[in-house]
Amino acid sequence: MRISDRANSIKPSATLAVDARVKAMRAQGVDVIGFGAGEPDFDTPEPIKQAAIEALKAGKTKYAATEGDPAARAAIAAKLKRDNGIECDPSGADIIINVGAKHSIYLALQCLLDVGKGQEVILPTPAWVSYRPMVELAGGRVVEVAGAIGNDFKITPKQLEKAITARTSAMIINSPSNPCGTMYSPEELKALAAVLEKHSDITILTDEIYEKLIYSDVKHFSLGSIPAIAQRVVTINGMSKAYAMTGWRIGYACCPGAPGTPGIGSDLIKAMAKLQGQMTSNITSFVYPAIVQALTQCYTSVEKMRVKFAERAELIYGKIKAMPGLKCPKPTGAFYVFPDVSAHFGKVSPGGKKVESALSFAEALLEDAKVAVVPGEDFGECARNHVRLSFACSNENIVEGCARMSEWLKRLQ
Ligand code: PMP
Ligand code: GLU
């Protein structure tokens, strides 16, 4: 059987690959400490589960509108207005619910880019591993703009201005960031928006999936709340991270329609619905009431989990800082630390492996110390000296994993 060039052109997800390897090792009885998966270890809050169970029992088991059930879309619209200051139609017409935020981003890019048109997408890096393949699958070209470690990996308005060309079609921004664990302040985002305001052909995809996981006084800010650019901002979010619902596969996108067209939905959302209608149809229908429940009733559960993550951020940062040769900013959002480990390149691991890249570092660490981290290479060119550790795991895991890693680092020669 011949596999398409399209499928052959992309690499598998590095984050999912590490997670699969940890699961396979555990199944064989190996005691692995996993810092790989960006997945909360908490269970989904009980009232959210109950809402889905009740919907299932009540027979909500049929096809629904492709864009999503009206009550769930309206609850998302209310959330975006309340939490993010985004003016979208209260009916939810400017919103589509997809199979995870990953699917939302994929569909948005498929609707914004064409093959062979030379369209560029600006991507501040280090950036999540899936953005590049998704842009490329849609026919676009990624233009990486590197954030400096000394600036918490954030890009500046000057860098953004310099990266914009006549071919720039879109920009993807993700704050708080996977894999950086840092975030932009409202002022920094407004300064980037001032640049984007001058370039009306650029669509801005803002991935805000970690908005509820913040461990400093900096407030989350949504670019979609800035009236001058709001019509071309696509706000992406989902239930996976804040509500511990990774396996439920619920994401959404919001893009307000042109002013004066209430209730109709924007061209982008309509195009995304058309694609989704030929692809997956609606998401699982009995989970819609769980979305409403989560967005309207579960503030306390989210806050409890956030407090735990904040504690873990402190714990892991303290341990990483004490490890020889590692450099990284303090994690202030999402649940990742992204240290530069290049001080150890050129050394040989206890198992006899030459450590010459983030990939060989991660492989040797897993083989020798049974600690899984994600190598930086697939997060962008400027991320090659880094590895990512997710602290979405217990304090015991963090203590044991960091102890193993620290010991292992000392044994590199
Ligand atoms: N964006 C970012 C930055 C992520 O880390 C993830 C994690 N999977 C996603 C989007 C997608 O999340 P999901 O598809 O589970 O909603
Ligand atoms: N986003 C998470 C991560 O980066 C989950 C895996 C994935 O979808 O990439 O680990």
Side-chain angles (χ1 to χ4, degrees):
M1 186 193 294
R2 188 187 166 276
I3 301 300
S4 69
D5 294 343
R6 188 185 317 106
N8 282 331
S9 71
I10 57 157
K11 288 170 71 179
S13 158
T15 48
L16 294 182
V18 171
D19 194 39
R21 185 133 178 230
V22 168
K23 289 193 172 110
M25 286 172 82
R26 283 198 184 129
Q28 285 169 357
V30 182
D31 165 29
V32 194
I33 302 286
F35 290 129
E39 171 168 53
D41 55 328
F42 303 113
D43 197 2
T44 304
E46 201 51 40
I48 301 178
K49 287 190 188 175
Q50 277 309 323
I53 291 166
E54 276 158 32
L56 185 54
K57 283 192 181 151
K60 208 167 166 26
T61 55
K62 306 289 187 213
Y63 290 134
T66 298
E67 300 87 332
D69 153 277
R73 291 167 84 203
I76 294 169
K79 178 259 178 239
L80 290 171
K81 187 160 169 58
R82 181 189 68 222
D83 295 359
N84 308 93
I86 296 172
E87 296 291 342
C88 56
D89 196 87
S91 71
D94 301 324
I95 288 155
I96 180 164
I97 303 176
N98 319 102
V99 188
K102 196 178 250 181
H103 188 213
S104 312
I105 302 163
Y106 185 92
L107 284 176
L109 289 166
Q110 287 287 332
C111 293
L112 291 168
L113 304 173
D114 279 307
V115 176
K117 293 238 173 93
Q119 288 166 287
E120 294 174 352
V121 177
I122 293 178
L123 183 62
T125 49
W128 180 42
V129 295
S130 291
Y131 297 134
R132 172 181 279 278
M134 290 200 273
V135 168
E136 291 176 350
L137 281 168
R141 192 172 82 78
V142 171
V143 175
E144 293 191 9
V145 181
I149 186 168
N151 190 33
D152 286 357
F153 300 107
K154 291 176 285 193
I155 66 160
T156 62
K158 232 188 204 155
Q159 284 180 290
L160 174 60
E161 185 81 71
K162 213 168 141 214
I164 294 173
T165 72
R167 292 175 298 281
T168 308
S169 287
M171 170 180 185
I172 303 178
I173 186 151
N174 167 224
S175 175
S177 158
N178 173 7
C180 305
T182 53
M183 64 184 286
Y184 288 84
S185 69
E187 294 68 33
E188 287 163 337
L189 285 168
K190 284 177 195 165
L192 295 178
V195 175
L196 293 163
E197 198 181 325
K198 293 184 277 174
H199 301 273
S200 58
D201 290 342
I202 302 178
T203 302
I204 304 135
L205 265 74
T206 158
D207 180 347
E208 305 185 4
I209 198 155
Y210 295 101
E211 70 162 333
K212 299 289 180 207
L213 303 175
I214 292 175
Y215 320 116
S216 74
D217 296 337
V218 177
K219 294 264 174 297
H220 175 77
F221 179 77
S222 293
L223 287 170
S225 68
I226 301 178
I229 56 170
Q231 303 307 316
R232 52 192 169 96
V233 173
V234 189
T235 305
I236 308 281
N237 209 325
M239 314 306 289
S240 288
K241 313 292 174 171
Y243 303 92
M245 293 173 75
T246 45
W248 292 62
R249 312 307 305 126
I250 308 166
Y252 57 86
C254 170
C255 184
T261 56
I264 293 179
S266 68
D267 291 348
L268 178 67
I269 298 299
K270 281 192 256 180
M272 288 169 71
K274 193 162 58 165
L275 253 68
Q276 181 163 326
Q278 295 288 25
M279 190 186 256
T280 57
S281 309
N282 59 286
I283 68 162
T284 307
S285 43
F286 51 81
V287 309
Y288 290 121
I291 300 176
V292 179
Q293 178 70 27
L295 294 180
T296 57
Q297 308 291 331
C298 291
Y299 312 107
T300 323
S301 311
V302 172
E303 179 55 14
K304 271 192 196 148
M305 292 190 269
R306 189 199 66 80
V307 167
K308 281 269 176 223
F309 282 128
E311 197 184 298
R312 295 166 180 185
E314 283 288 337
L315 180 65
I316 199 161
Y317 181 60
K319 306 261 174 218
I320 295 279
K321 249 193 345 189
M323 288 185 201
L326 267 53
K327 281 191 300 221
C328 77
K330 189 169 182 180
T332 52
F335 34 58
Y336 307 103
V337 271
F338 199 55
D340 180 332
V341 296
S342 61
H344 297 285
F345 292 178
K347 297 183 183 172
V348 177
S349 73
K353 199 174 181 101
K354 191 130 197 246
V355 175
E356 47 201 359
S357 62
L359 182 61
S360 49
F361 179 100
E363 279 175 353
L365 178 63
L366 183 58
E367 278 162 27
D368 297 341
K370 309 289 180 271
V371 173
V373 299
V374 184
E377 282 88 345
D378 289 358
F379 295 94
E381 201 50 47
C382 68
R384 298 189 153 270
N385 291 342
H386 296 254
V387 297
R388 190 191 80 176
L389 286 81
S390 156
F391 54 84
C393 57
S394 67
N395 287 6
E396 295 71 41
N397 248 50
I398 294 172
V399 170
E400 172 64 18
C402 288
R404 288 189 196 181
M405 188 165 162
S406 189
E407 264 319 294
W408 178 80
L409 287 172
K410 287 180 196 146
R411 292 175 60 212
L412 291 175
Q413 298 206 323

